[in-house]
Amino acid sequence: MTALVEVELDAWGFTNELDRLGWGDGLPCLPPTPEVVAEYVAASGLDGDHVVGQLPSSMADCTVTTIAANAAMTGMPREAMPLLCAAVVAIANPDFCLASVNATTASVCPALIVNGPIRHTLQIPFGSSCLGGARGSAPSIGRALRLIIRHVAGQNIRANEVDPSSITSETIFGQPARVVSIVVGEWEERSPWAPLSERRGIPGDAVTAFAHMGTDNICDTTADSGVKLLEVIGKSAASIGANPFLAATPFSEVAFAINPIWADIIARDVPTIEDVMYLIWDHAAVPITWIPEANRGPIEELGRVHSDGRVHLLASPDELIIFVAGGLGSLHSALLPGFSGVLAVTQSIER
Amino acid sequence: MPQGLVVDPTAQFSVPATVTNTTIGVNGEDTVSLAGRKIGLRQDPYWLSWEWVVDEWAQLCRNDGADVLLHRHYPSVGKAAEESLSQLDSFVASSDVVVSGLATCGGCTMWTVHDAVRALDNGKPAVIVATEHFVELAQNLSSRAGHPGARIVVMPYPLEGRSEAEVRQIARDKFAELARTLGVRA
């Protein structure tokens, strides 16, 4: 059942009321009037009362109307409702483990990687500045997802305005994407490999929710082959402070956005994505002796030490999320460090 | 300024009013000893300090005549989820009470509460062990999971960064409180 609240209806007045209502993220919001919310519901192609998912820790029903209200607050294009609804389905999947993502001391939050023709319809960025900064619909979609996580999942961060009896997140630092989630497309037309979502079993319009800890840059100006680029990429991820190296982490995932120029060079030397993933995985390793002695026991107990004395960042190459994106200026690829014990989820987008 | 109606963007949910307060005594009453009881201790290899605490408490439980069952936490996510939950359920079923720790980070608090709630939902007494900083999170998550008032033993924070000898001494000092929280009167 939809609850209505009386507020000031102009954007300035409404924004000033957000603190009193316990809504929002600190940025201005637009008032989600019933008329506007109805337009968003219609654009979803679903009934307003339809329950899209239950999001922890509240496990409250997340209806299309609730999603629409949050979307309306950001001014997100109405046409993005099918994508936003699919994203909610993805993060509600138990494998994504939003309960852990929301509660943790880590800075983790969902990034959305979009595949299929819908990238063009919604102008989801996949070229220059695709991880943040490109003008378009992505920031409002990403912000709507974050508002849903606050308003529906009930993620309450330990901060001065929050009653301790409602705290559900202990993040130490947070990160900018906890206000506006990354929403990035794959540049499928420039990728030498099949699209990410297709490789994960869902061709066409799809969104992959990946729990990431921020972004890190991988720069190289000297590699003379695709194989050497893969070495740089893999080794760049293998920092012993990374969550996947935490003692007793049973599984983790890491994502890489490879720029189209590097993708061409890599594919010239290493044609199959399986071999690409294997080489990155193999290089993302450190000698067990790099890990402090006190931390080694649980890692050894899990059988993670290879016969050559190395510990891989990830248990298997399958734990890599690889997609092609970024500007054509080359030089840089992006690492999206992963969390522990959670999995990316790919969901089809129904239009 | 014009006033008008907007759609509430929040989802409504309620925290149950009933308070979980079960102990290992018969019919929820306190008991006089751990003797003959099966104490389930949940292990979490993320925290070396907790491994030491579990080791100490296991020995002290045995000294009091209890049997100790150990269960190593594994996240119930992905392909291993079913097996992980099955092992947890087997551990819960075999125990008279579950001691679930350690809530000393966000994710591990969530999983500590998850495993304790799994026991409480199955009618088994459970005690959550949390460090001071994470008590509120543990209370809030257990409340949202349907068990406000779940019993919590509070450990000093932080436990990490202390020597093994110091942590083991803390464990020994806290054992009487654990026993009282389990429902042992003596």
Side-chain angles (χ1 to χ4, degrees):
Chain A
M1 183 161 149
T2 304
L4 299 175
V5 179
E6 186 168 357
V7 297
E8 290 189 22
L9 282 184
D10 79 290
W12 287 95
F14 178 62
T15 295
N16 287 335
E17 290 204 71
L18 292 174
D19 269 357
R20 174 181 66 79
L21 295 163
W23 299 354
D25 54 16
L27 291 174
C29 289
L30 299 171
T33 60
E35 298 76 16
V36 171
V37 170
E39 292 174 15
Y40 279 89
V41 170
S44 74
L46 299 167
D47 189 86
D49 292 332
H50 174 70
V51 176
V52 175
Q54 293 175 314
L55 302 179
S57 58
S58 76
M59 296 308 288
D61 289 344
C62 184
T63 65
V64 172
T65 297
T66 308
I67 293 171
N70 284 280
M73 289 173 75
T74 72
M76 183 191 87
R78 289 148 179 77
E79 298 75 21
M81 275 296 286
L83 166 57
L84 185 60
C85 289
V88 170
V89 173
I91 66 170
N93 187 309
D95 282 351
F96 188 79
C97 202
L98 186 65
S100 181
V101 168
N102 280 351
T104 179
T105 48
S107 59
V108 63
C109 62
L112 304 180
I113 305 164
V114 183
N115 281 108
I118 199 170
R119 293 166 301 132
H120 300 293
T121 311
L122 297 177
Q123 297 184 314
I124 304 295
F126 46 73
S128 294
S129 207
C130 59
L131 292 180
R135 178 193 292 270
S137 62
S140 59
I141 299 168
R143 188 174 175 221
L145 184 70
R146 289 304 309 170
L147 288 180
I148 290 166
I149 289 172
R150 288 173 184 270
H151 292 154
V152 183
Q155 185 186 38
N156 291 324
I157 296 158
R158 183 184 287 279
N160 52 10
E161 78 278 16
V162 172
D163 176 356
S165 68
S166 69
I167 289 164
T168 57
S169 171
E170 284 283 2
T171 186
I172 304 300
F173 290 109
Q175 58 155 307
R178 281 196 166 206
V179 180
V180 176
S181 280
I182 289 173
V183 179
V184 58
E186 180 168 21
W187 198 339
E188 298 176 13
E189 296 78 3
R190 286 299 306 259
S191 173
W193 308 296
L196 171 68
S197 61
E198 186 176 319
R199 284 184 269 127
R200 294 173 61 85
I202 301 181
D205 289 334
V207 59
T208 299
F210 170 70
H212 74 107
M213 308 273 268
T215 65
D216 200 356
N217 192 61
I218 300 168
C219 185
D220 184 87
T221 61
T222 57
D224 58 2
S225 72
V227 171
K228 288 182 181 170
L229 280 174
L230 293 174
E231 182 177 350
V232 170
I233 291 170
K235 287 182 172 174
S236 296
S239 150
I240 67 162
N243 258 60
F245 274 134
L246 277 180
T249 291
F251 54 87
S252 294
E253 292 176 328
V254 170
F256 293 95
I258 298 178
N259 77 63
I261 305 301
W262 282 16
D264 285 343
I265 295 169
I266 290 167
R268 181 195 67 203
D269 296 347
V270 185
T272 73
I273 189 68
E274 291 79 12
D275 288 344
V276 168
M277 291 167 72
Y278 176 82
L279 287 170
I280 291 176
W281 171 81
D282 191 45
H283 285 298
V286 298
I288 183 69
T289 51
W290 283 25
I291 293 173
E293 198 169 346
N295 298 17
R296 292 178 200 166
I299 292 174
E300 291 166 343
E301 196 176 310
L302 280 172
R304 291 187 61 187
V305 184
H306 194 261
S307 57
D308 63 6
R310 292 184 304 153
V311 181
H312 288 90
L313 178 73
L314 303 172
S316 125
D318 294 338
E319 294 178 349
L320 285 166
I321 309 287
I322 307 279
F323 64 104
V324 174
L328 296 176
S330 190
L331 300 180
H332 306 272
S333 280
L335 160 67
L336 279 70
F339 186 43
S340 314
V342 303
L343 297 172
V345 174
T346 299
Q347 178 67 37
S348 64
I349 302 168
E350 307 298 336
R351 290 197 277 170
Chain B
M1 293 292 181
Q3 295 275 319
L5 296 174
V6 296
V7 176
D8 185 344
T10 66
Q12 303 304 312
F13 64 96
S14 57
V15 172
T18 54
V19 174
T20 304
N21 201 23
T22 51
T23 75
I24 60 170
V26 176
N27 298 324
E29 299 295 322
D30 285 352
T31 185
V32 293
S33 164
L34 291 177
R37 303 290 179 167
K38 294 174 183 167
I39 311 298
L41 296 177
R42 174 194 189 272
Q43 297 175 289
D44 186 344
Y46 268 115
W47 301 103
L48 196 52
S49 56
W50 178 238
E51 295 285 277
W52 296 330
V53 172
V54 167
D55 189 50
E56 287 293 324
W57 284 357
Q59 190 54 51
L60 291 165
C61 286
R62 291 186 188 107
N63 291 349
D64 282 358
D67 290 331
V68 172
L69 294 87
L70 298 175
H71 171 74
R72 184 157 289 238
H73 163 70
Y74 191 92
S76 48
V77 168
K79 286 178 278 190
E82 198 173 329
E83 184 185 347
S84 171
L85 284 175
S86 171
Q87 289 177 355
L88 174 61
D89 287 343
S90 175
F91 165 69
V92 167
S94 304
S95 304
D96 291 328
V97 62
V98 168
V99 178
S100 187
L102 177 69
T104 192
C105 75
C108 58
T109 299
M110 186 282 290
W111 283 116
T112 292
V113 170
H114 170 276
D115 290 1
V117 164
R118 193 85 178 175
L120 293 168
D121 283 345
N122 280 284
K124 284 290 172 74
V127 169
I128 293 164
V129 184
T131 57
E132 284 169 321
H133 183 82
F134 292 92
V135 169
E136 286 163 343
L137 181 64
Q139 287 171 333
N140 296 340
L141 294 181
S142 57
S143 293
R144 287 182 175 209
H147 295 281
R151 294 181 175 220
I152 299 178
V153 170
V154 182
M155 304 292 278
Y157 176 81
L159 266 189
E160 72 268 28
R162 301 178 193 247
S163 69
E164 179 174 351
E166 189 180 358
V167 172
R168 286 185 181 275
Q169 186 59 52
I170 290 169
R172 290 191 289 273
D173 292 344
K174 279 281 176 182
F175 184 70
E177 181 182 336
L178 172 70
R180 282 195 303 275
T181 309
L182 290 173
V184 177
R185 240 191 349 244

